[in-house]
Structure formats: structure tokens, C-alpha cells
Amino acid sequence: MNILVIGQGGREHSICQKLVDSPLTKHVYCAPGNVGMIHDGIELIGIEALDFEALLQFVKEKEVTYTVVGPEAPLAAGIVDVFRAAGLAILGPTQAAAQIEGSKDFAKRLMNKYQIPTAKHQTFTDLSKAIEYVKVEGAPIVIKADGLAAGKGVTVAQTVEEAIKALKAIFSEVTAKVVIEECLVGQECSYLTFVSENGIFPMITSRDHKAIFDGNRGPNTGGMGVFSPVPEVTTALEQLILETIVLPTVEAMKDEKRPFTGILYTGLMLTEEGPKVIEFNARFGDPETQVLLQQLDSDLAQVFYDLLHNQMPKLTWKQTASVGVVIASIGYPGKFHQGVPLPDLTNLPHDIQVYYAGVAENNQQLVSAGGRVLLVTTTSQTKELARKRLYDWLETMDFSHFYYRSDIGSN
């Protein structure tokens, strides 16, 4: 099979590498990809994710078996609709179904209508009314920009003043809409499922760490590290999540004439009252994917093929634990320098894996070219062993010109 993966980050690197490892694949292309992927036998294509016409032409010329969409922007722009109209196989939701991520207001209204547990919330298009609501509700409180924001459109405000500052920043946009919701208390959990017309097929659980600093302090990022699985999620709790949240959501999307297929990411807070939805995404999470696929024993190329052909995918997971730590540019998620040389990561220990994201090449050396530069991950028998191994290795490397959290997997 020839397979095209759309995107350029660490998520796409991990998907592509898993596909390269499959005996079923002949060529694995990534558009546009990043230069760090080349070492793993991934073929980079100089086409941007939103250039649908060029992507269509490439898929036809190279006789691509199917396409997998990594990031949210092309899904929200309707790439699945365009490919399907051309008779081409592509994994992901339609533009209408991708609204579950593209609009937080849509997702909240869906959950209200179908009684899917989530936080108390209100949507506003007027700044003064939003500020008035915050003053009444008090803090802590969560402020969410309605549209896509690459994982950074959320402020967990600890004071009313911080909430008002976030609101003013969002309403500086001409057509602003904001969702304000109660601050849920508990432990977070990312729960990803493959969804086809034939059913829902769960992956194992994981926990992302959004805040930039140790102790979950500071502004939100796209994700600074992750571990999998989440020990608090028992078999009984997972069944509860499926029965009260995931299945009703998929059925609700059918009822709304927006049937969802692809990867449904359900971000949860495990509260004392039970699991509640924080957010939905319409694709693989980043950085969750990089650790989840480390533990997938099944052939990912076959899994994708089965999903696209409404066959039952065979999912087998290793009985292990994985921890991944993001290496970021100093200053991220604010202003940061680019072009900082990376240490040599070509001869890695067998149990350490690197997935590149914001990188470029300068004089045959990899340099930083983004906020989140790469993710390093390892897998072991337990989370504690994986965490110790990963941080022990990081201490041997010179990442002094970069930043990473030191507490991933400790909670």
C-alpha cells in the first residue's frame, strides 16, 4: 500500500513511523512533514495541508491507497468531503462532523441536547455580558475561545481579573465567540476511539499535561508531556465512559445528520460526580498519539484499512506503560527563538524514541523551528520505570537551550 499522512508534527511522525513498520506498506508519504522524519524512511511531500487541489493530484499520480489526516485545520476546512467527492479513501470526519472540535459552542449545545455530562457553561458574543457573567460566577473559571486554537485557546483563570484579561484578548477579534464554563475538579484523562460505520473501537487511556510549568502551573500549551495508560481508569470506569459519553455522542452526531467517522478524542475530567467532558477533538491528539502508538501491537496500516472498509479492526495493546516528554523552545507558548541547534539524536538507545515536530535543517544539522520541538518517549513494565528511564536519559543530553517539564508521569 501507498499511504499519505497529512500534517507535519510529532503526531504525524509517530503515525508515519508506525505505518513504515508495517509489511503492508510500500511508500509512506507525509505532506508537508518535517525534516526530522526522513531518518525513519518517511517520504516528505512539499504540499501544505490546506492545498487540497495539489494533494488530490498527488494522491492520484502516486496511486495512494488511502489518506490519513493528522491536524484539525484541514478537517475543519472540509478535506474529507473533497476527497470523498473525488472517490478517494480518506480517514477522518466530514466538515460537518468536525464541528465537534471546530466549535466549542456546537459541542456544548450537542451535549446539552443529548444530556452528555459536561461542565456548567454559557456562550457569549458580547464582551460586557461575558464580563458580567464572570463577575457573578467568580473564579476559578474557564475561558474558551470558540474556534480552533491548536490546544492553546483555553485559559483556566484563577482570578476574576485573569478571566477578564482572557476575555478581552479573545474579543479583540472581530467575530469573537467565547464559552465560559465552571472549573471542574479532578484528574484529566484523554480517551481516544476509532469510529467507523461499523462501531466504536477504543484505544487505551492517556493523560496529557497542558500547562507549561511543573505542577500544572502557567499558561496552556499544545501539551508538554503524556503518559499511558491512566491507572485510575478501571475497566468499570472505562465502560461507564463508553456508555454515558462516547456512544451517546456518536449516536447524537448521527441524529444530527453529521455522522462521525475517524478518530474521536474525548477529553475528560474524572470528578467525584463521575467523568465529564472537557472537550472533543476530531482527530488523534498530540502528544497522546506518540505514546499510544508505542503500545499498539496491531498493524496500524491494516487497522486504518479495516476502518475505511467497515471491517472490524483487530486492536491488540501491549501490557506496558509509556511516558513522553516534550522538548520546547524557551519562551513557549509566548515568544521564542528559532534556529537553536539540537543535540545529536541519531544514535539513540534502543528503548528511546524521538518524534520531531518544530524542526528545520541548517548546514546538515537539525535546529528548532517551532514552539514544541520534539517529544522523547520510552516504554517499560510500569509508568514509574518508564518515567525514571526517560528522565535519567534526558539528564545525559544537553538540552540546556531548551525547556521541558520535570514532572511528567509523577501524578
PDB file of all heavy atoms in Angstrom, residues 124 127 143-146 153-155 163-179:
ATOM      1  N   PHE A 124     -21.040  33.357  24.865  1.00  0.00           N
ATOM      2  CA  PHE A 124     -21.236  34.808  24.729  1.00  0.00           C
ATOM      3  C   PHE A 124     -20.619  35.321  23.436  1.00  0.00           C
ATOM      4  O   PHE A 124     -19.561  34.842  22.995  1.00  0.00           O
ATOM      5  CB  PHE A 124     -20.602  35.554  25.910  1.00  0.00           C
ATOM      6  CG  PHE A 124     -21.244  35.259  27.230  1.00  0.00           C
ATOM      7  CD1 PHE A 124     -20.770  34.216  28.028  1.00  0.00           C
ATOM      8  CD2 PHE A 124     -22.322  36.011  27.677  1.00  0.00           C
ATOM      9  CE1 PHE A 124     -21.366  33.931  29.246  1.00  0.00           C
ATOM     10  CE2 PHE A 124     -22.919  35.723  28.906  1.00  0.00           C
ATOM     11  CZ  PHE A 124     -22.443  34.690  29.690  1.00  0.00           C
ATOM     12  N   LEU A 127     -18.805  41.166  24.855  1.00  0.00           N
ATOM     13  CA  LEU A 127     -17.777  41.230  25.899  1.00  0.00           C
ATOM     14  C   LEU A 127     -18.361  41.676  27.237  1.00  0.00           C
ATOM     15  O   LEU A 127     -18.063  41.072  28.276  1.00  0.00           O
ATOM     16  CB  LEU A 127     -16.658  42.183  25.475  1.00  0.00           C
ATOM     17  CG  LEU A 127     -15.567  42.451  26.522  1.00  0.00           C
ATOM     18  CD1 LEU A 127     -14.868  41.160  26.931  1.00  0.00           C
ATOM     19  CD2 LEU A 127     -14.558  43.472  25.992  1.00  0.00           C
ATOM     20  N   ILE A 143     -12.129  29.937  30.500  1.00  0.00           N
ATOM     21  CA  ILE A 143     -12.472  30.771  29.344  1.00  0.00           C
ATOM     22  C   ILE A 143     -11.978  30.058  28.086  1.00  0.00           C
ATOM     23  O   ILE A 143     -10.791  29.743  27.975  1.00  0.00           O
ATOM     24  CB  ILE A 143     -11.819  32.163  29.429  1.00  0.00           C
ATOM     25  CG1 ILE A 143     -12.074  32.805  30.810  1.00  0.00           C
ATOM     26  CG2 ILE A 143     -12.288  33.052  28.291  1.00  0.00           C
ATOM     27  CD1 ILE A 143     -13.517  33.083  31.102  1.00  0.00           C
ATOM     28  N   LYS A 144     -12.897  29.804  27.135  1.00  0.00           N
ATOM     29  CA  LYS A 144     -12.530  29.087  25.914  1.00  0.00           C
ATOM     30  C   LYS A 144     -12.954  29.882  24.685  1.00  0.00           C
ATOM     31  O   LYS A 144     -14.132  30.193  24.509  1.00  0.00           O
ATOM     32  CB  LYS A 144     -13.220  27.716  25.871  1.00  0.00           C
ATOM     33  CG  LYS A 144     -12.776  26.741  26.956  1.00  0.00           C
ATOM     34  CD  LYS A 144     -13.452  25.388  26.791  1.00  0.00           C
ATOM     35  CE  LYS A 144     -12.936  24.370  27.795  1.00  0.00           C
ATOM     36  NZ  LYS A 144     -13.571  23.041  27.606  1.00  0.00           N
ATOM     37  N   ALA A 145     -11.975  30.179  23.823  1.00  0.00           N
ATOM     38  CA  ALA A 145     -12.303  30.738  22.512  1.00  0.00           C
ATOM     39  C   ALA A 145     -13.048  29.672  21.720  1.00  0.00           C
ATOM     40  O   ALA A 145     -12.725  28.484  21.806  1.00  0.00           O
ATOM     41  CB  ALA A 145     -11.030  31.170  21.791  1.00  0.00           C
ATOM     42  N   ASP A 146     -14.042  30.084  20.942  1.00  0.00           N
ATOM     43  CA  ASP A 146     -14.935  29.109  20.311  1.00  0.00           C
ATOM     44  C   ASP A 146     -14.257  28.277  19.228  1.00  0.00           C
ATOM     45  O   ASP A 146     -14.523  27.098  19.108  1.00  0.00           O
ATOM     46  CB  ASP A 146     -16.153  29.824  19.709  1.00  0.00           C
ATOM     47  CG  ASP A 146     -17.131  28.843  19.067  1.00  0.00           C
ATOM     48  OD1 ASP A 146     -17.570  27.914  19.763  1.00  0.00           O
ATOM     49  OD2 ASP A 146     -17.432  28.998  17.869  1.00  0.00           O
ATOM     50  N   GLY A 153      -6.317  27.712  23.139  1.00  0.00           N
ATOM     51  CA  GLY A 153      -7.386  28.690  23.230  1.00  0.00           C
ATOM     52  C   GLY A 153      -8.143  28.643  24.537  1.00  0.00           C
ATOM     53  O   GLY A 153      -9.271  29.129  24.619  1.00  0.00           O
ATOM     54  N   VAL A 154      -7.527  28.072  25.570  1.00  0.00           N
ATOM     55  CA  VAL A 154      -8.209  27.892  26.861  1.00  0.00           C
ATOM     56  C   VAL A 154      -7.400  28.572  27.963  1.00  0.00           C
ATOM     57  O   VAL A 154      -6.181  28.401  28.042  1.00  0.00           O
ATOM     58  CB  VAL A 154      -8.385  26.397  27.193  1.00  0.00           C
ATOM     59  CG1 VAL A 154      -9.037  26.233  28.559  1.00  0.00           C
ATOM     60  CG2 VAL A 154      -9.209  25.704  26.114  1.00  0.00           C
ATOM     61  N   THR A 155      -8.095  29.323  28.806  1.00  0.00           N
ATOM     62  CA  THR A 155      -7.474  29.907  29.987  1.00  0.00           C
ATOM     63  C   THR A 155      -8.218  29.425  31.224  1.00  0.00           C
ATOM     64  O   THR A 155      -9.440  29.610  31.329  1.00  0.00           O
ATOM     65  CB  THR A 155      -7.526  31.449  29.949  1.00  0.00           C
ATOM     66  OG1 THR A 155      -6.800  31.916  28.816  1.00  0.00           O
ATOM     67  CG2 THR A 155      -6.918  32.044  31.217  1.00  0.00           C
ATOM     68  N   ALA A 163      -9.535  36.209  34.276  1.00  0.00           N
ATOM     69  CA  ALA A 163     -10.601  35.829  33.346  1.00  0.00           C
ATOM     70  C   ALA A 163     -10.973  36.989  32.437  1.00  0.00           C
ATOM     71  O   ALA A 163     -11.150  36.817  31.220  1.00  0.00           O
ATOM     72  CB  ALA A 163     -11.820  35.343  34.122  1.00  0.00           C
ATOM     73  N   ILE A 164     -11.093  38.186  32.993  1.00  0.00           N
ATOM     74  CA  ILE A 164     -11.454  39.367  32.202  1.00  0.00           C
ATOM     75  C   ILE A 164     -10.358  39.679  31.187  1.00  0.00           C
ATOM     76  O   ILE A 164     -10.638  40.032  30.031  1.00  0.00           O
ATOM     77  CB  ILE A 164     -11.730  40.567  33.130  1.00  0.00           C
ATOM     78  CG1 ILE A 164     -13.002  40.311  33.949  1.00  0.00           C
ATOM     79  CG2 ILE A 164     -11.843  41.859  32.327  1.00  0.00           C
ATOM     80  CD1 ILE A 164     -13.279  41.354  35.012  1.00  0.00           C
ATOM     81  N   LYS A 165      -9.107  39.522  31.583  1.00  0.00           N
ATOM     82  CA  LYS A 165      -7.986  39.740  30.657  1.00  0.00           C
ATOM     83  C   LYS A 165      -8.067  38.767  29.480  1.00  0.00           C
ATOM     84  O   LYS A 165      -7.865  39.158  28.318  1.00  0.00           O
ATOM     85  CB  LYS A 165      -6.664  39.562  31.404  1.00  0.00           C
ATOM     86  CG  LYS A 165      -5.436  39.788  30.536  1.00  0.00           C
ATOM     87  CD  LYS A 165      -4.151  39.586  31.346  1.00  0.00           C
ATOM     88  CE  LYS A 165      -2.923  39.756  30.450  1.00  0.00           C
ATOM     89  NZ  LYS A 165      -1.658  39.529  31.217  1.00  0.00           N
ATOM     90  N   ALA A 166      -8.378  37.499  29.768  1.00  0.00           N
ATOM     91  CA  ALA A 166      -8.514  36.498  28.703  1.00  0.00           C
ATOM     92  C   ALA A 166      -9.674  36.839  27.783  1.00  0.00           C
ATOM     93  O   ALA A 166      -9.581  36.701  26.556  1.00  0.00           O
ATOM     94  CB  ALA A 166      -8.692  35.106  29.310  1.00  0.00           C
ATOM     95  N   LEU A 167     -10.783  37.289  28.360  1.00  0.00           N
ATOM     96  CA  LEU A 167     -11.952  37.666  27.555  1.00  0.00           C
ATOM     97  C   LEU A 167     -11.625  38.829  26.626  1.00  0.00           C
ATOM     98  O   LEU A 167     -11.994  38.819  25.440  1.00  0.00           O
ATOM     99  CB  LEU A 167     -13.116  38.043  28.462  1.00  0.00           C
ATOM    100  CG  LEU A 167     -13.833  36.894  29.169  1.00  0.00           C
ATOM    101  CD1 LEU A 167     -14.801  37.431  30.217  1.00  0.00           C
ATOM    102  CD2 LEU A 167     -14.575  36.021  28.161  1.00  0.00           C
ATOM    103  N   LYS A 168     -10.940  39.822  27.144  1.00  0.00           N
ATOM    104  CA  LYS A 168     -10.595  40.990  26.322  1.00  0.00           C
ATOM    105  C   LYS A 168      -9.681  40.597  25.169  1.00  0.00           C
ATOM    106  O   LYS A 168      -9.795  41.132  24.059  1.00  0.00           O
ATOM    107  CB  LYS A 168      -9.944  42.069  27.188  1.00  0.00           C
ATOM    108  CG  LYS A 168     -10.936  42.769  28.109  1.00  0.00           C
ATOM    109  CD  LYS A 168     -10.256  43.845  28.952  1.00  0.00           C
ATOM    110  CE  LYS A 168     -11.284  44.594  29.800  1.00  0.00           C
ATOM    111  NZ  LYS A 168     -10.648  45.624  30.662  1.00  0.00           N
ATOM    112  N   ALA A 169      -8.780  39.641  25.422  1.00  0.00           N
ATOM    113  CA  ALA A 169      -7.890  39.169  24.349  1.00  0.00           C
ATOM    114  C   ALA A 169      -8.685  38.461  23.260  1.00  0.00           C
ATOM    115  O   ALA A 169      -8.446  38.670  22.059  1.00  0.00           O
ATOM    116  CB  ALA A 169      -6.836  38.236  24.932  1.00  0.00           C
ATOM    117  N   ILE A 170      -9.643  37.637  23.661  1.00  0.00           N
ATOM    118  CA  ILE A 170     -10.467  36.906  22.681  1.00  0.00           C
ATOM    119  C   ILE A 170     -11.349  37.876  21.903  1.00  0.00           C
ATOM    120  O   ILE A 170     -11.461  37.779  20.677  1.00  0.00           O
ATOM    121  CB  ILE A 170     -11.330  35.844  23.382  1.00  0.00           C
ATOM    122  CG1 ILE A 170     -10.444  34.737  23.969  1.00  0.00           C
ATOM    123  CG2 ILE A 170     -12.361  35.243  22.406  1.00  0.00           C
ATOM    124  CD1 ILE A 170     -11.179  33.764  24.874  1.00  0.00           C
ATOM    125  N   PHE A 171     -11.947  38.839  22.590  1.00  0.00           N
ATOM    126  CA  PHE A 171     -12.863  39.767  21.934  1.00  0.00           C
ATOM    127  C   PHE A 171     -12.151  40.865  21.149  1.00  0.00           C
ATOM    128  O   PHE A 171     -12.800  41.734  20.559  1.00  0.00           O
ATOM    129  CB  PHE A 171     -13.834  40.363  22.950  1.00  0.00           C
ATOM    130  CG  PHE A 171     -15.002  39.472  23.240  1.00  0.00           C
ATOM    131  CD1 PHE A 171     -14.983  38.614  24.335  1.00  0.00           C
ATOM    132  CD2 PHE A 171     -16.113  39.461  22.418  1.00  0.00           C
ATOM    133  CE1 PHE A 171     -16.048  37.769  24.599  1.00  0.00           C
ATOM    134  CE2 PHE A 171     -17.187  38.626  22.668  1.00  0.00           C
ATOM    135  CZ  PHE A 171     -17.156  37.774  23.764  1.00  0.00           C
ATOM    136  N   SER A 172     -10.823  40.830  21.099  1.00  0.00           N
ATOM    137  CA  SER A 172     -10.097  41.729  20.205  1.00  0.00           C
ATOM    138  C   SER A 172     -10.271  41.283  18.756  1.00  0.00           C
ATOM    139  O   SER A 172     -10.017  42.044  17.823  1.00  0.00           O
ATOM    140  CB  SER A 172      -8.605  41.765  20.569  1.00  0.00           C
ATOM    141  OG  SER A 172      -8.005  40.490  20.370  1.00  0.00           O
ATOM    142  N   GLU A 173     -10.714  40.016  18.578  1.00  0.00           N
ATOM    143  CA  GLU A 173     -11.049  39.523  17.240  1.00  0.00           C
ATOM    144  C   GLU A 173     -12.430  40.053  16.845  1.00  0.00           C
ATOM    145  O   GLU A 173     -13.306  40.226  17.682  1.00  0.00           O
ATOM    146  CB  GLU A 173     -11.060  37.990  17.214  1.00  0.00           C
ATOM    147  CG  GLU A 173      -9.733  37.357  17.618  1.00  0.00           C
ATOM    148  CD  GLU A 173      -8.636  37.621  16.606  1.00  0.00           C
ATOM    149  OE1 GLU A 173      -8.967  37.749  15.409  1.00  0.00           O
ATOM    150  OE2 GLU A 173      -7.461  37.696  16.995  1.00  0.00           O
ATOM    151  N   VAL A 174     -12.619  40.283  15.538  1.00  0.00           N
ATOM    152  CA  VAL A 174     -13.843  40.923  15.046  1.00  0.00           C
ATOM    153  C   VAL A 174     -15.084  40.075  15.310  1.00  0.00           C
ATOM    154  O   VAL A 174     -16.119  40.569  15.744  1.00  0.00           O
ATOM    155  CB  VAL A 174     -13.728  41.230  13.533  1.00  0.00           C
ATOM    156  CG1 VAL A 174     -15.022  41.866  13.022  1.00  0.00           C
ATOM    157  CG2 VAL A 174     -12.547  42.155  13.276  1.00  0.00           C
ATOM    158  N   THR A 175     -14.984  38.765  15.044  1.00  0.00           N
ATOM    159  CA  THR A 175     -16.160  37.881  15.165  1.00  0.00           C
ATOM    160  C   THR A 175     -15.973  36.895  16.313  1.00  0.00           C
ATOM    161  O   THR A 175     -16.045  35.691  16.132  1.00  0.00           O
ATOM    162  CB  THR A 175     -16.392  37.116  13.852  1.00  0.00           C
ATOM    163  OG1 THR A 175     -15.197  36.377  13.526  1.00  0.00           O
ATOM    164  CG2 THR A 175     -16.723  38.056  12.718  1.00  0.00           C
ATOM    165  N   ALA A 176     -15.715  37.438  17.485  1.00  0.00           N
ATOM    166  CA  ALA A 176     -15.389  36.585  18.623  1.00  0.00           C
ATOM    167  C   ALA A 176     -16.630  35.921  19.217  1.00  0.00           C
ATOM    168  O   ALA A 176     -17.720  36.485  19.253  1.00  0.00           O
ATOM    169  CB  ALA A 176     -14.664  37.389  19.692  1.00  0.00           C
ATOM    170  N   LYS A 177     -16.422  34.694  19.668  1.00  0.00           N
ATOM    171  CA  LYS A 177     -17.417  33.961  20.445  1.00  0.00           C
ATOM    172  C   LYS A 177     -16.651  33.212  21.519  1.00  0.00           C
ATOM    173  O   LYS A 177     -15.584  32.660  21.256  1.00  0.00           O
ATOM    174  CB  LYS A 177     -18.212  32.997  19.564  1.00  0.00           C
ATOM    175  CG  LYS A 177     -19.304  32.238  20.317  1.00  0.00           C
ATOM    176  CD  LYS A 177     -19.959  31.185  19.440  1.00  0.00           C
ATOM    177  CE  LYS A 177     -20.883  31.785  18.419  1.00  0.00           C
ATOM    178  NZ  LYS A 177     -21.638  30.727  17.670  1.00  0.00           N
ATOM    179  N   VAL A 178     -17.190  33.186  22.726  1.00  0.00           N
ATOM    180  CA  VAL A 178     -16.467  32.569  23.828  1.00  0.00           C
ATOM    181  C   VAL A 178     -17.407  31.690  24.636  1.00  0.00           C
ATOM    182  O   VAL A 178     -18.596  31.998  24.802  1.00  0.00           O
ATOM    183  CB  VAL A 178     -15.817  33.640  24.733  1.00  0.00           C
ATOM    184  CG1 VAL A 178     -16.880  34.496  25.400  1.00  0.00           C
ATOM    185  CG2 VAL A 178     -14.912  33.029  25.790  1.00  0.00           C
ATOM    186  N   VAL A 179     -16.868  30.562  25.095  1.00  0.00           N
ATOM    187  CA  VAL A 179     -17.586  29.689  26.018  1.00  0.00           C
ATOM    188  C   VAL A 179     -16.937  29.851  27.392  1.00  0.00           C
ATOM    189  O   VAL A 179     -15.720  29.707  27.534  1.00  0.00           O
ATOM    190  CB  VAL A 179     -17.521  28.212  25.568  1.00  0.00           C
ATOM    191  CG1 VAL A 179     -18.162  27.307  26.623  1.00  0.00           C
ATOM    192  CG2 VAL A 179     -18.223  28.040  24.219  1.00  0.00           C
TER     193      VAL A 179
END
